[in-house]
Amino acid sequence: MSEPPVIELDGVYTSFRGHPVHRDLALRVDEGQIVGLLGGSGSGKTTLLREILGLHRPDAGMVRLFGVDLNEPDVQLQRNLRRRLGMLFQHGALFSALSVFDNIAFPLRELRCLDGDWIRRLVHLKLAMVGLGEGHGKLMPAELSGGMVKRVALARALALEPELLLLDEPTAGLDPDRSQNFVELIGDLQRELGLTVIMVTHDLNTLAGLATHVAVLADHHIIAYGTRAEIMTIDHPFVTGFFGADRRKLL
Amino acid sequence: MSDIPRLRVESGRVVLSGAWTLAEMLPMLESLQSALGGLPAAGQHWDLTALTRLDSAAAVLLWRTWHGAWPASLEIGEMHRQVIVRVAELPQEMPAQPVARVHLPEFVGRLLLKAAANLRGMIALFGQLLLDGNYLLSHPRDIPWREFTANVYKAGLLALPVTALVGFLIGVTISYLSALQLKSFGAELFIVNILGISIIRELGPVLVAVLVAGRSGSAMTAQIGVMRVTEEIDALSTMGVSRSIRVVLPKILGLTVAMPLLVLWTSAVALLGGMLAALLQLDLSLVYFLENLPRAVPVANLLIGLGKGFVFGFVIALVACHFGLHVKPNTESLSANTTSAVVTAITTVILADAVFAIFTRQIGVPQL
Ligand SMILES: Nc1ncnc2c1ncn2[C@@H]1O[C@H](COP(=O)(O)OP(=O)(O)OP(=O)(O)O)[C@@H](O)[C@H]1O
Ligand SMILES: [Mg+2]
């Protein structure tokens, strides 16, 4: 047994005000996988990501990242763990008081190891990766369009070169061209760096172009997890409803 | 996984191996940087084939080591070359953003202009209120009663405990201090005049104004400001709901109505505190105090106090709403405007108080 799985959830229970969201949820993601997380609106996908990040503590159950339990009390260990992951929030969550440039530079400056020139180059590199120019760096988050917010947020999530990338609806609000660019970018990064990616998405093209594995969240837990081909064969109302006539497209 | 980034130099060959990623490099960043920096400028053969991973942070580091040009002889896997190509495509020079220098006259001038703009904004808001009032007179069904009463409740009723507590303590303090002085003159009975005039005419209204500016004024600015940040204000106007009638007017009217009542309440509690302290310190009975209060303090003082409350409430709410409406959609501006709202409201209240003092100097002073 060599590497622990990147993400391991087991027996996770979550409820909000008595309403269950997750019930006995289990998921295991290995290094290098790109997992598409599917589920109906309000099925608890964002909540699941928040639990993986340690932003929300489940009522019961275990969450392990890189083999480290999130309930481990060692602060330094937890902090180093957080540096290994990047998150793209559903609504961007950019720092509204900082410019685009400073938003992306912020996590890099927090390391207190890189000099100014290095940070500037990295920020411009990330901006270029998501298809934004140098001029966009001076804008404030309130001056961005919805899709640009997504792209800046992605650039910020990539700033620390994370090993695990969590993406909450990364292509919602992007035009098809940009979505395609995004798929290629993440695909390239994955090949170059061996990233592990979990992404919530409702977009079949993104899913078909990127995901190596698919996890389906329905009925409060992961009803199916496997490669795209395996998921196709599942006979569950959500899966058949989601893919509908497009079943073949995913293959 | 945890393969450490390594650098080996052997007779004109530089061999990099391991995972050159930000996370792996961090613990040994200094030694790596100095090792790379110590290499002779050119004529090296670079062997990067043994790299397991190369991320863009490391690519930037290498590119800087190469002084922004591809080395003459380089062996590298195709995938890793792509990473460096991305860095190579960036412009070579990355000038730092110039930090804006601030000059004193410019700073003062900007401050004055801002103050003038704020004054203008408040006058405009006042004008808008008059127009709204005019509109509501002819369309009484649109009067936002619910929001108005909610504001009276929030700014008035919920403020009763804190204003009472502060008023009581101030009353006790002033009474004690004055009693000490009066005793040495043998003029204990004048405690009624001192407490009555100072609390009813001056301290009550100003005390309440300061408390309310901090309590309700900041809340109003923050609420309207957040509504702007989250575009709720825009959502309101798309539904054809006037933001000034539904959001601003009830707040201003609510506080204007609630303030005189709060002033009355606080002055009463402060007098009670003063009376109790006088009872303990000077043996002045409560009955004597109450019987002499109307004689020592002409009723005009009460009216002045209430009038002040009325004006202060209006000013605080107007200032708070003005700053709330000018919040820019970011957290920094929200906090700056909330601060400005409270500071400006308190300053304006004190100014207005001075104006009151000048214009009412003949009124309500007991003739002995
Ligand atoms: N902080 C919270 N307090 C109370 N209930 C919450 C909270 N966060 C989420 N919920 C509830 O949990 C459920 C799952 O929410 P979640 O945001 O995870 O859905 P989602 O799968 O991400 O949906 P979508 O695809 O629409 O983004 C919803 O029913 C929501 O009402
Ligand atoms: Mg969600």
Side-chain angles (χ1 to χ4, degrees), chain A residues 16-17 21 39-48 90 168-169 202:
Chain A
F16 288 113
R17 299 204 205 106
V21 177
S41 180
S43 58
K45 303 180 297 294
T46 302
T47 309
L48 184 63
Q90 191 167 3
D168 201 347
E169 311 212 354
H202 299 301

Side-chain angles (χ1 to χ4, degrees), chain B residues 231-243:
Chain B
E231 299 182 332
E232 286 172 52
I233 293 257
D234 300 341
L236 265 185
S237 45
T238 34
M239 296 172 199
V241 178
S242 155
R243 65 174 191 196

Side-chain angles (χ1 to χ4, degrees), chain B residues 272-284:
Chain B
L272 178 73
M275 270 157 49
L276 289 179
L279 178 68
L280 295 176
Q281 184 87 345
L282 301 173
D283 271 336
L284 213 61

Side-chain angles (χ1 to χ4, degrees), chain B residues 130-173:
Chain B
L130 292 182
L131 291 180
D132 287 341
N134 195 20
Y135 170 83
L136 287 179
L137 280 184
S138 51
H139 300 79
R141 285 187 35 182
D142 284 351
I143 297 179
W145 288 115
R146 250 170 194 283
E147 287 84 353
F148 170 71
T149 46
N151 274 298
V152 173
Y153 173 76
K154 269 195 294 191
L157 194 75
L158 295 184
L160 290 183
V162 64
T163 47
L165 179 69
V166 174
F168 186 83
L169 293 177
I170 294 278
V172 169
T173 315

